[in-house]
Amino acid sequence: MKPTYDHKQGAAPVFSLAKLVASLCALWLVANPAHAQSSSNVDTQTVLLEPLTLAKLSDMDFGDLLVTTGGTVVLSADSVTTCIATGGVVHTQECQPATFAGSGISGQRVRVRRPIGRTITLTGPGDDMTVTDFTIDGGATLNLVNSNPNWERFRINTLDGVFIFRVGGTLNVNPNQLPGVYAGSFDIRIDYQ
């Protein structure tokens, strides 16, 4: 189709090309009904352990928080994880302790050291927050033998020597904490004895 012109009463030429495009689009929409498609990616992973090794299975995550006047969030290290908020902090999403897997010999002793200085600093858009009061839980795979403020000593309680332990702690939230993502890192050291 050619564009048409209207020259009545000295008016500027008017192109009907827009009408043509609109008509073709309408025809295409009628001829091609919409089909919804969606897809989702799922990550999978596996950990192969050599004797006397340690592997991180998951990061520590305190979930999403609503903050009014500051307070704390206590993240348990148990296999049934809980997050208990105090003060002006409301916990709104799932939380999880840091989880590690190791491999030794059944009955062998292992010592798990808490992070150096027993404090993690989380940085983000506002004032830094800290994580303190670390707890370490070996669940059914490790039997607690001895404890002090810097480490926990366990005995491996599985026949194959593979064990899992979790690390929890207390997040200290400042009053008027700015919203955003806060992150930090820490080292876990394990000594096979």
Side-chain angles (χ1 to χ4, degrees):
M1 282 180 85
K2 288 185 183 177
T4 58
Y5 302 100
D6 183 4
H7 292 288
K8 295 180 187 173
Q9 301 175 356
V14 176
F15 292 92
S16 63
L17 187 58
K19 288 182 184 177
L20 171 66
V21 171
S23 297
L24 290 175
C25 286
L27 285 174
W28 182 82
L29 289 173
V30 171
N32 295 309
H35 296 283
Q37 290 184 346
S38 65
S39 65
S40 179
N41 293 329
V42 176
D43 294 331
T44 53
Q45 68 178 15
T46 187
V47 176
L48 300 176
L49 297 173
E50 291 185 35
L52 306 180
T53 61
L54 180 67
K56 179 185 76 165
L57 299 179
S58 66
D59 291 320
M60 184 181 290
D61 185 351
F62 287 92
D64 293 344
L65 309 173
L66 299 172
V67 179
T68 56
T69 61
T72 63
V73 178
V74 179
L75 169 62
S76 72
D78 304 347
S79 58
V80 179
T81 306
T82 59
C83 271
I84 299 172
T86 67
V89 178
V90 177
H91 183 263
T92 64
Q93 292 291 325
E94 289 186 29
C95 54
Q96 74 178 15
T99 306
F100 300 89
S103 177
I105 300 168
S106 182
Q108 182 177 19
R109 286 185 178 206
V110 294
R111 182 171 60 180
V112 180
R113 294 182 185 235
R114 288 179 175 79
I116 295 172
R118 299 192 315 257
T119 301
I120 303 170
T121 301
L122 303 182
T123 59
D127 292 336
D128 291 350
M129 292 185 287
T130 59
V131 179
T132 57
D133 301 325
F134 293 95
T135 56
I136 300 171
D137 182 67
T141 63
L142 293 173
N143 288 334
L144 183 62
V145 175
N146 198 355
S147 178
N148 79 23
N150 295 316
W151 49 262
E152 302 281 348
R153 183 172 283 145
F154 298 98
R155 184 178 308 280
I156 298 173
N157 191 35
T158 59
L159 293 176
D160 62 4
V162 175
F163 59 91
I164 292 175
F165 67 92
R166 293 168 186 80
V167 180
T170 300
L171 175 65
N172 301 286
V173 182
N174 303 305
N176 303 314
Q177 190 76 50
L178 288 177
V181 176
Y182 290 78
S185 63
F186 65 102
D187 293 326
I188 282 291
R189 181 176 167 185
I190 187 166
D191 299 322
Y192 289 89
Q193 302 172 334

